Amino acid sequence: MASEMANSTSQIVELNVGGVGYTTTIQTLTKEPESYLGQVFRGKIAQIKDSKGRYFIDRDGVLFRYILDYLRNQKIILPESFAERDRLRAEAEFYKLETLAKALIPLKATSADELTSSLTPLGITSKAPGYVMLGYRGTFAFGRDGLADVKFRKLSRILVSGRVTLCREIFGETLNESRDPDRGMTDRYSSRFFLKHSYIEQAFDMLQEAGFSCVASCGSGTASIGPNDLKPGMDSEENRWNHYNEFVFVRN
Amino acid sequence: MASEMANSTSQIVELNVGGVGYTTTIQTLTKEPESYLGQVFRGKIAQIKDSKGRYFIDRDGVLFRYILDYLRNQKIILPESFAERDRLRAEAEFYKLETLAKALIPLKATSADELTSSLTPLGITSKAPGYVMLGYRGTFAFGRDGLADVKFRKLSRILVSGRVTLCREIFGETLNESRDPDRGMTDRYSSRFFLKHSYIEQAFDMLQEAGFSCVASCGSGTASIGPNDLKPGMDSEENRWNHYNEFVFVRN
Amino acid sequence: MASEMANSTSQIVELNVGGVGYTTTIQTLTKEPESYLGQVFRGKIAQIKDSKGRYFIDRDGVLFRYILDYLRNQKIILPESFAERDRLRAEAEFYKLETLAKALIPLKATSADELTSSLTPLGITSKAPGYVMLGYRGTFAFGRDGLADVKFRKLSRILVSGRVTLCREIFGETLNESRDPDRGMTDRYSSRFFLKHSYIEQAFDMLQEAGFSCVASCGSGTASIGPNDLKPGMDSEENRWNHYNEFVFVRN
Amino acid sequence: MASEMANSTSQIVELNVGGVGYTTTIQTLTKEPESYLGQVFRGKIAQIKDSKGRYFIDRDGVLFRYILDYLRNQKIILPESFAERDRLRAEAEFYKLETLAKALIPLKATSADELTSSLTPLGITSKAPGYVMLGYRGTFAFGRDGLADVKFRKLSRILVSGRVTLCREIFGETLNESRDPDRGMTDRYSSRFFLKHSYIEQAFDMLQEAGFSCVASCGSGTASIGPNDLKPGMDSEENRWNHYNEFVFVRN
Amino acid sequence: MASEMANSTSQIVELNVGGVGYTTTIQTLTKEPESYLGQVFRGKIAQIKDSKGRYFIDRDGVLFRYILDYLRNQKIILPESFAERDRLRAEAEFYKLETLAKALIPLKATSADELTSSLTPLGITSKAPGYVMLGYRGTFAFGRDGLADVKFRKLSRILVSGRVTLCREIFGETLNESRDPDRGMTDRYSSRFFLKHSYIEQAFDMLQEAGFSCVASCGSGTASIGPNDLKPGMDSEENRWNHYNEFVFVRN
């Protein structure tokens, strides 16, 4: 059915990696010529065969799946909850795949530039880990008489705190830095950012899109205010229902 | 036992996908004629065989399970906590299965129409991710004398906030939008929706059915009210036990 | 060592299901005579063999493990966090195993009867999903002088709310429905149930036994009470420490 | 290299369990002589072989890994988050391994004795499931003038509540039962235990060591106290910051 | 292509470990000469072969992957959420790999020295488990008139509590121990540590880097203060919004 002229079967290579069989091609294996596999399959390093004639590599057979994927595509997409990142880096080091090994080093969100440069060449989808907190001081919108039945959540400002580079990456143009302007310091934290809008679920959605999850939250009400302290124009019901809710987000 | 006349063994195809063996039929492989596999098995693209005579494909052997499932059924049902969605999309792109690749792009819940159209052709069960919050202002129902022993949770209104399209998808007819009616804007957030009933567990169950999980919650009481501020008809015990509880739900 | 007279080797059947090998017997495969496999192995449907003489089935090879288990035992026990329920239902439909396919449809806890009847024939351990909330209004037991050092948690009543059928299934005889008696409605919610005992951890344990997990909780204190409002016999310390804690449980 | 005189190759047994191959020895398979495998390999039950001469067993091939492990070691250590306990019990019952089957029945923490006896023979590491709650009434240590800058968390007593047998298993000698002494009842709950020390993280660590996880928590402040109610020697700042925090732990 | 002179094929060893095939070399298997495998492959212990001529070992075939990895690298990196640590230790004991077995014993964070010495030789990445809590007493920064619109979270001190060795490992130089100085006791807990900075997200990030996760949190407000108790210079709005938020972190 399919004609077999274009490629030669001799280009197919069968591997026995620690007992797990893989099949691939010379082209794939030599894509990084100076890597261990590149040297082996350009004839620079001798390699023994097993009893079935497969090239034998004395390394973990399971993780080789990702090594091979990286060679095929020159980029790597890891499973979303990949649990063997450190193990894979050790394999990448053995195979002398430096770009891959470097890309598997856990990132720190020090500066946006550094982040970009360590991500781009390989296309690894991993991002710098860290915590970010959102908080809001809220109450409810009451009707004129203080007892009307329509009372929605009312919040004036969404507070953002955390590492500056993370906050910028997540919220971009919607982040208001006017109260804590950049003075050229890198790797700094702030608790003085807020958002330009007041939809907290929109902020949550942006955190989600950036790979963060909500892991905890805490709420607290306020102490009462004496009747003499009530400023003109303040609604006493709104005052009573004041609360501060704080949400903890993390990216692993 | 089973007669073997209806189909010919020659229709069976053995594949070696990166070292993992699969067995399927020509019919399955050519269901999408213009895909990579469709072209190979209609004889348009040459394909090499491995030493056992299996057609060799230099791609990830594990994810091919889902590629094959898609070809067999012309739809795809992913495991519930599938962790290789991005990796599978890369495979779908390699195999030129455009409908599949497109269906694996993370969705945004922009409008109900768009949602529908991107889901229907393939039957992928994935839904747009996002956060929705429910809150209620509650207290307890007290007996006449303020100390009777039967005091149930009493709540007047379940507040809903989040992306409008998500809220509508989840709560359907039970969502009251009268305080924030649609003015034709798409992709908007609201914190002015509420539900037509007051059973918060029913609301939770609808969120669960829509694939959302509760990940956090916060509670707060109220500040006290002066004795002079107690409106006629208000029960002072009910007043004291007022609280606002807020629940965070997310769909990934 | 073991004599080989009782059964004939010819009863063993080797299968190639999408590339994964299984071995079983004719007896197992024909247990449901009208199913797809029953028809194949009673000679009613022709089936092709692969190059090794194994009967070939063009379906997912991994999920077939559970199909075979179901045929062997006429019941199915799924792994506790089984993530491919929808995928398995699609396979059951292909194999015309109607009882299995029906048992994999997500349940709704509408009525106890319906629940029972859909579970019994197959013995599938899955239960109806849903949310249930427990709440308690508590304070502490103080000594006579209000400052004694032994102060335990004191709570008078555990409030239960959620779908009526779920509450009954979980708490059975320990549920007090006297404040919201059954009037023959099905599929209804209540927030007026309470428990006959006051050990909240016992209630948690019953939820756990029923397959529920605690996923969130919120606490709130009370607003202060004027000194004139303190009823005779009320301890002012107990009053101050009043709080309402609410716990969210879910079954997936 | 290794001499091959001590054992005979004929003792090796190759098995085909539902299509998955295993290799083991007669000694291992006959360790429990009256079990199904013991009877088969002592020649009491006839067993058929597959086309490769392997003894064929028409059962799940994956779970057999643990059956074999149990036979080799006469004890079983399950993976920490093993999700197929019910399925494995069904297999143990088929193989007539009663001790194993019994050890896989979900435990109830009824009494310490019963717990011990059902665990010891097999060495299964599973423990009785259940919920335990810790709570503390805390505030902060203030300086003399009420405004000094060093204010640590100050808590007088860690309250423990839950099933008595669980509390004892977890906290052992550090549990103070003086306020709810044992009166010979088994299977009882208490909310009157406290700890002999006041390091809540130490209590958390003991819960962790016993296999419990923290899954929820709630906090609440107190209502204010009238100035006339402030007892002599009470610090008004300490009074204001009083709070009750409660932590929910579970073992699955 | 690759020359085959450097190593001899005879050095390759094929193993059948409980039915799972592995391929490795004599050099790898004899790296620890006194281990079980070291003795077998130096000819000191006789070993039988299976029907395919592979050396047969009657042990679990899946966990052998990590045994082999350890022998290859003389260190072991486990998957991040490895669930078979106890099972692997039992295997290590069977193979007489004492360093490996010892490294798999669950650690206790008793002293920094002990921690270091048990980790270094093998390079196992596991760390001592335990709970640490962070708390802060916070409010908001208000403008002069108490109503200005810019109000950020304001917190004076981040309180740290937990096992002393854990706190030091996590926070290093940023931990202030001046209020609870070391008096030579090991294995002690403290709730009197605080941090030298006041960025709570930075503290969270350090916990994350040390392998801790946030699993719960609780918030509480304060009771009101009488107007006469307001000290000169205290802002009444700041006073009202006082709250204490506490965050629970754990490492498993």
Side-chain angles (χ1 to χ4, degrees):
Chain A
M1 129 209 4
S3 64
E4 267 147 67
M5 55 195 167
N7 301 305
S8 150
T9 300
S10 67
Q11 292 178 313
I12 295 185
V13 177
E14 300 209 23
L15 299 168
N16 171 343
V17 184
V20 179
Y22 286 93
T23 314
T24 184
T25 60
I26 292 288
Q27 285 89 331
T28 294
L29 290 167
T30 55
K31 261 196 195 152
E32 296 217 356
E34 297 311 316
S35 72
Y36 176 78
L37 294 169
Q39 292 188 300
V40 165
F41 290 95
R42 291 187 303 121
K44 306 292 186 194
I45 297 177
Q47 191 75 359
I48 53 179
K49 290 187 176 179
D50 71 6
S51 58
K52 292 182 185 159
R54 300 177 295 184
Y55 287 93
F56 170 65
I57 301 168
D58 192 16
R59 300 297 301 176
D60 186 80
V62 176
L63 288 168
F64 191 74
R65 177 185 171 202
Y66 302 104
I67 297 291
L68 200 49
D69 239 35
Y70 167 67
L71 290 173
R72 283 184 192 119
N73 304 315
Q74 289 301 95
K75 68 177 183 179
I76 191 159
I77 307 170
L78 296 174
E80 275 112 59
S81 58
F82 186 65
E84 306 198 44
R85 187 176 289 259
D86 287 341
R87 286 170 59 81
L88 182 55
R89 190 170 71 237
E91 297 303 302
E93 281 161 8
F94 171 83
Y95 291 110
K96 296 200 177 66
L97 295 167
E98 286 174 28
T99 315
L100 178 59
K102 199 180 155 195
L104 289 163
I105 294 170
L107 291 174
K108 271 205 158 188
T110 44
S111 79
D113 284 356
E114 206 179 308
L115 201 70
T116 308
S117 65
S118 80
L119 286 175
T120 313
L122 198 53
I124 280 212
T125 57
S126 98
K127 298 270 180 70
Y131 278 89
V132 164
M133 285 219 269
L134 290 190
Y136 78 87
R137 301 194 317 137
T139 180
F140 299 93
F142 288 86
R144 290 246 170 107
D145 60 357
L147 284 172
D149 73 333
V150 182
K151 293 138 193 163
F152 296 105
R153 192 180 63 188
K154 182 175 161 181
L155 64 90
S156 52
R157 181 162 292 184
I158 297 168
L159 306 176
V160 175
S161 49
R163 198 184 276 264
V164 169
T165 47
L166 281 186
C167 297
R168 283 181 189 149
E169 181 213 323
I170 299 160
F171 297 108
E173 285 303 301
T174 67
L175 190 70
N176 186 327
E177 302 189 25
S178 64
R179 290 286 160 171
D180 195 9
D182 196 0
R183 292 178 182 85
M185 287 169 60
T186 56
D187 198 14
R188 130 186 118 82
Y189 284 80
S190 175
S191 60
R192 306 190 71 179
F193 290 163
F194 55 95
L195 296 186
K196 292 176 182 167
H197 63 79
S198 59
Y199 291 108
I200 195 152
E201 289 83 8
Q202 186 168 12
F204 286 6
D205 288 353
M206 294 179 88
L207 279 155
Q208 185 184 30
E209 213 169 321
F212 285 77
S213 308
C214 181
V215 291
S217 61
C218 20
S220 52
T222 57
S224 64
I225 189 172
N228 307 330
D229 297 325
L230 200 65
K231 301 286 185 306
M234 277 170 70
D235 179 281
S236 71
E237 272 295 296
E238 275 195 30
N239 236 323
R240 287 182 67 207
W241 286 94
N242 270 325
H243 59 275
Y244 173 59
N245 283 0
E246 191 168 79
F247 303 91
V248 183
F249 282 80
V250 69
R251 183 164 69 186
N252 291 313
Chain B
M1 140 206 353
S3 63
E4 266 149 67
M5 53 193 170
N7 301 306
S8 151
T9 300
S10 67
Q11 291 178 314
I12 295 185
V13 177
E14 299 209 23
L15 300 169
N16 172 344
V17 184
V20 179
Y22 286 92
T23 314
T24 185
T25 61
I26 292 287
Q27 285 89 331
T28 294
L29 290 166
T30 55
K31 261 196 193 152
E32 297 218 356
E34 297 310 316
S35 72
Y36 176 78
L37 294 168
Q39 292 188 300
V40 165
F41 290 95
R42 292 188 302 123
K44 306 292 187 193
I45 297 177
Q47 192 74 357
I48 53 179
K49 290 186 175 179
D50 72 6
S51 57
K52 293 181 185 160
R54 299 178 296 185
Y55 287 93
F56 171 66
I57 302 168
D58 193 15
R59 299 298 301 176
D60 185 79
V62 176
L63 288 169
F64 190 74
R65 176 185 172 201
Y66 303 103
I67 297 290
L68 200 49
D69 239 35
Y70 167 67
L71 289 174
R72 283 185 192 119
N73 305 315
Q74 289 301 94
K75 68 177 183 181
I76 192 158
I77 308 170
L78 296 173
E80 276 111 60
S81 58
F82 187 64
E84 306 197 43
R85 188 176 290 258
D86 287 341
R87 287 170 59 80
L88 182 55
R89 190 170 71 235
E91 296 304 302
E93 281 162 6
F94 171 83
Y95 290 110
K96 296 200 177 67
L97 295 166
E98 285 174 29
T99 315
L100 178 59
K102 198 180 156 195
L104 289 163
I105 295 169
L107 291 175
K108 272 207 159 186
T110 44
S111 80
D113 283 357
E114 205 179 308
L115 202 69
T116 308
S117 65
S118 79
L119 286 176
T120 313
L122 198 52
I124 280 213
T125 59
S126 97
K127 297 271 180 68
Y131 278 88
V132 165
M133 285 220 269
L134 291 190
Y136 78 86
R137 302 194 318 138
T139 179
F140 300 93
F142 289 87
R144 289 245 171 107
D145 61 357
L147 285 172
D149 73 333
V150 183
K151 294 137 193 163
F152 296 105
R153 192 180 62 190
K154 184 175 160 182
L155 63 89
S156 52
R157 181 162 290 182
I158 297 167
L159 307 176
V160 176
S161 49
R163 198 184 277 262
V164 169
T165 47
L166 281 185
C167 297
R168 282 181 190 150
E169 180 213 325
I170 299 160
F171 297 108
E173 285 303 300
T174 66
L175 189 71
N176 186 326
E177 302 190 26
S178 64
R179 290 286 160 173
D180 194 9
D182 196 359
R183 292 179 182 86
M185 288 168 59
T186 56
D187 199 14
R188 132 186 117 81
Y189 284 80
S190 176
S191 59
R192 306 191 71 179
F193 290 163
F194 55 95
L195 296 186
K196 293 176 182 167
H197 63 78
S198 58
Y199 291 108
I200 195 152
E201 290 82 8
Q202 186 168 12
F204 286 6
D205 288 354
M206 294 179 88
L207 279 156
Q208 185 183 31
E209 213 170 319
F212 284 77
S213 309
C214 180
V215 290
S217 61
C218 20
S220 52
T222 57
S224 65
I225 189 171
N228 308 329
D229 298 325
L230 201 66
K231 301 288 188 305
M234 278 169 72
D235 179 283
S236 71
E237 273 295 296
E238 275 195 29
N239 236 323
R240 287 182 67 208
W241 286 93
N242 270 325
H243 59 273
Y244 174 59
N245 283 1
E246 191 168 79
F247 303 91
V248 183
F249 282 80
V250 68
R251 184 164 68 187
N252 291 314
Chain C
M1 142 202 353
S3 63
E4 267 148 68
M5 55 195 169
N7 300 307
S8 151
T9 300
S10 67
Q11 292 177 314
I12 294 186
V13 177
E14 299 209 23
L15 300 169
N16 171 343
V17 184
V20 179
Y22 287 92
T23 313
T24 185
T25 61
I26 292 287
Q27 285 90 330
T28 295
L29 289 167
T30 55
K31 259 194 196 153
E32 297 218 357
E34 297 311 316
S35 72
Y36 176 78
L37 293 168
Q39 293 189 300
V40 166
F41 290 95
R42 291 187 303 123
K44 305 294 187 192
I45 298 177
Q47 192 74 359
I48 53 179
K49 291 187 176 178
D50 72 5
S51 58
K52 293 181 184 159
R54 300 177 296 183
Y55 286 93
F56 170 66
I57 302 168
D58 193 15
R59 299 297 302 177
D60 185 79
V62 175
L63 288 168
F64 190 74
R65 176 184 172 201
Y66 303 103
I67 297 291
L68 200 48
D69 239 36
Y70 167 67
L71 289 174
R72 285 185 191 120
N73 304 316
Q74 289 300 95
K75 67 178 182 181
I76 192 159
I77 307 170
L78 296 174
E80 276 111 60
S81 58
F82 187 64
E84 307 196 46
R85 188 175 290 259
D86 288 342
R87 287 170 59 81
L88 181 55
R89 190 169 72 235
E91 296 303 303
E93 281 161 6
F94 171 84
Y95 290 110
K96 295 200 177 66
L97 296 166
E98 284 174 30
T99 315
L100 178 59
K102 198 181 156 194
L104 289 163
I105 295 169
L107 291 174
K108 271 209 159 184
T110 44
S111 80
D113 284 356
E114 206 179 308
L115 202 67
T116 307
S117 66
S118 78
L119 286 176
T120 312
L122 198 52
I124 279 214
T125 58
S126 98
K127 298 269 180 68
Y131 278 88
V132 165
M133 285 220 269
L134 291 189
Y136 78 87
R137 301 195 318 139
T139 179
F140 300 93
F142 288 87
R144 289 248 170 104
D145 60 357
L147 285 172
D149 72 333
V150 183
K151 294 136 191 165
F152 297 105
R153 191 180 63 190
K154 185 175 160 183
L155 61 91
S156 52
R157 180 161 292 181
I158 297 168
L159 307 175
V160 175
S161 49
R163 199 184 275 262
V164 169
T165 47
L166 282 185
C167 297
R168 282 180 190 153
E169 180 212 324
I170 299 160
F171 297 109
E173 285 303 300
T174 66
L175 189 71
N176 187 326
E177 302 190 26
S178 64
R179 291 286 160 173
D180 195 9
D182 196 359
R183 293 178 181 86
M185 288 168 59
T186 57
D187 199 14
R188 127 188 120 81
Y189 284 80
S190 175
S191 60
R192 306 192 71 178
F193 290 163
F194 55 97
L195 296 186
K196 292 175 182 168
H197 63 79
S198 60
Y199 292 108
I200 194 152
E201 289 84 7
Q202 185 168 13
F204 286 5
D205 288 353
M206 293 179 88
L207 279 155
Q208 185 185 30
E209 212 169 323
F212 285 78
S213 310
C214 180
V215 291
S217 61
C218 20
S220 53
T222 57
S224 63
I225 188 171
N228 308 329
D229 297 325
L230 200 67
K231 302 288 186 305
M234 277 170 72
D235 180 281
S236 71
E237 272 295 296
E238 275 195 30
N239 236 322
R240 286 182 65 208
W241 287 92
N242 270 325
H243 59 273
Y244 174 58
N245 283 1
E246 190 169 79
F247 303 91
V248 183
F249 283 79
V250 69
R251 184 163 70 187
N252 291 313
Chain D
M1 136 205 359
S3 64
E4 267 148 67
M5 56 194 167
N7 301 305
S8 150
T9 299
S10 66
Q11 292 177 315
I12 295 186
V13 177
E14 299 208 24
L15 300 168
N16 172 343
V17 184
V20 178
Y22 287 92
T23 313
T24 185
T25 62
I26 292 287
Q27 286 89 330
T28 294
L29 290 166
T30 55
K31 261 195 196 153
E32 296 217 357
E34 298 311 315
S35 73
Y36 176 78
L37 294 169
Q39 292 189 299
V40 165
F41 290 96
R42 291 187 303 122
K44 306 292 186 193
I45 297 177
Q47 192 74 358
I48 53 178
K49 289 187 176 178
D50 73 5
S51 58
K52 292 180 185 161
R54 301 178 294 184
Y55 287 93
F56 170 67
I57 302 168
D58 193 17
R59 300 296 302 175
D60 185 79
V62 175
L63 288 169
F64 190 74
R65 176 185 171 200
Y66 303 103
I67 298 291
L68 201 48
D69 239 36
Y70 168 67
L71 289 173
R72 284 185 191 119
N73 305 314
Q74 288 301 94
K75 67 178 184 180
I76 191 159
I77 307 170
L78 296 174
E80 276 110 59
S81 59
F82 186 65
E84 306 197 47
R85 187 176 289 259
D86 287 342
R87 286 170 59 81
L88 182 54
R89 190 169 72 235
E91 296 303 303
E93 281 161 7
F94 171 84
Y95 290 110
K96 295 199 177 67
L97 296 167
E98 286 175 28
T99 315
L100 178 60
K102 199 181 157 194
L104 289 163
I105 293 169
L107 291 174
K108 270 208 161 187
T110 46
S111 80
D113 283 358
E114 205 179 308
L115 202 68
T116 308
S117 65
S118 79
L119 286 177
T120 313
L122 198 52
I124 279 214
T125 58
S126 98
K127 298 269 181 67
Y131 277 88
V132 166
M133 284 221 268
L134 291 190
Y136 78 86
R137 302 194 317 138
T139 179
F140 299 93
F142 288 87
R144 290 247 171 104
D145 60 356
L147 285 171
D149 73 333
V150 182
K151 293 138 191 163
F152 297 106
R153 190 180 63 189
K154 185 175 160 181
L155 62 90
S156 52
R157 181 161 290 182
I158 297 167
L159 307 175
V160 176
S161 49
R163 198 185 276 262
V164 169
T165 47
L166 281 185
C167 297
R168 284 181 188 151
E169 179 213 325
I170 299 160
F171 296 109
E173 286 303 300
T174 65
L175 190 70
N176 186 326
E177 303 191 25
S178 63
R179 290 287 161 171
D180 195 8
D182 196 359
R183 292 178 181 85
M185 288 168 59
T186 56
D187 199 14
R188 128 186 120 81
Y189 284 79
S190 176
S191 60
R192 306 191 71 179
F193 290 163
F194 54 97
L195 296 186
K196 293 176 182 168
H197 63 78
S198 59
Y199 292 108
I200 195 152
E201 290 83 8
Q202 186 169 11
F204 286 5
D205 288 354
M206 293 179 89
L207 280 155
Q208 186 184 29
E209 214 170 318
F212 284 78
S213 310
C214 180
V215 292
S217 61
C218 21
S220 52
T222 58
S224 63
I225 189 171
N228 307 329
D229 298 323
L230 200 66
K231 301 287 185 306
M234 279 171 70
D235 180 281
S236 72
E237 273 295 296
E238 275 194 31
N239 235 323
R240 287 182 65 208
W241 287 94
N242 270 325
H243 59 275
Y244 173 58
N245 282 1
E246 190 168 79
F247 303 91
V248 183
F249 282 79
V250 69
R251 183 164 70 187
N252 291 314
Chain E
M1 125 210 7
S3 64
E4 266 147 68
M5 55 195 168
N7 300 306
S8 149
T9 299
S10 67
Q11 292 177 314
I12 295 185
V13 177
E14 300 210 22
L15 300 168
N16 172 343
V17 185
V20 178
Y22 286 93
T23 314
T24 185
T25 61
I26 293 288
Q27 286 88 330
T28 294
L29 290 166
T30 55
K31 260 195 197 153
E32 297 217 356
E34 297 311 315
S35 72
Y36 176 78
L37 294 169
Q39 293 188 299
V40 165
F41 290 96
R42 292 187 303 121
K44 306 291 187 194
I45 297 177
Q47 192 74 359
I48 52 179
K49 290 188 175 178
D50 72 5
S51 58
K52 291 181 185 159
R54 299 178 296 183
Y55 286 94
F56 170 66
I57 301 168
D58 192 16
R59 299 297 300 176
D60 185 79
V62 175
L63 288 169
F64 190 73
R65 176 184 172 202
Y66 302 103
I67 297 292
L68 200 49
D69 239 34
Y70 167 66
L71 289 174
R72 283 184 193 120
N73 305 315
Q74 289 301 97
K75 67 177 183 179
I76 192 159
I77 307 170
L78 296 174
E80 276 111 59
S81 59
F82 186 64
E84 306 197 45
R85 187 177 289 260
D86 287 341
R87 288 170 59 79
L88 182 54
R89 190 169 72 236
E91 297 304 302
E93 281 162 7
F94 171 83
Y95 290 111
K96 295 200 177 66
L97 296 167
E98 286 175 29
T99 315
L100 178 60
K102 199 180 155 195
L104 289 163
I105 294 169
L107 292 174
K108 271 208 160 186
T110 45
S111 80
D113 284 357
E114 206 178 308
L115 201 69
T116 307
S117 66
S118 79
L119 285 177
T120 313
L122 197 53
I124 279 213
T125 57
S126 97
K127 298 269 179 70
Y131 277 88
V132 166
M133 284 220 268
L134 291 190
Y136 78 87
R137 302 193 318 138
T139 179
F140 299 93
F142 288 87
R144 289 244 171 107
D145 60 356
L147 285 171
D149 74 333
V150 182
K151 293 138 193 163
F152 297 105
R153 190 180 63 189
K154 184 175 161 181
L155 64 90
S156 51
R157 181 162 289 183
I158 297 167
L159 306 175
V160 175
S161 50
R163 198 184 276 263
V164 169
T165 47
L166 281 185
C167 296
R168 283 181 189 150
E169 181 212 323
I170 299 160
F171 296 110
E173 286 303 301
T174 66
L175 189 71
N176 186 326
E177 302 190 26
S178 63
R179 291 286 160 171
D180 195 9
D182 196 359
R183 292 179 181 85
M185 288 168 58
T186 56
D187 198 13
R188 129 186 118 81
Y189 285 79
S190 175
S191 61
R192 306 191 71 180
F193 290 163
F194 55 95
L195 296 186
K196 292 176 182 166
H197 63 80
S198 59
Y199 290 108
I200 195 152
E201 289 83 9
Q202 186 170 10
F204 287 5
D205 288 353
M206 293 179 88
L207 279 156
Q208 186 184 31
E209 212 170 320
F212 284 77
S213 308
C214 180
V215 291
S217 61
C218 20
S220 52
T222 58
S224 63
I225 189 171
N228 307 329
D229 297 324
L230 199 66
K231 301 287 186 305
M234 277 172 70
D235 180 281
S236 72
E237 272 295 296
E238 275 195 31
N239 236 323
R240 288 181 66 208
W241 286 93
N242 271 325
H243 59 273
Y244 173 59
N245 283 1
E246 191 168 79
F247 302 91
V248 183
F249 282 80
V250 69
R251 183 164 69 188
N252 290 314

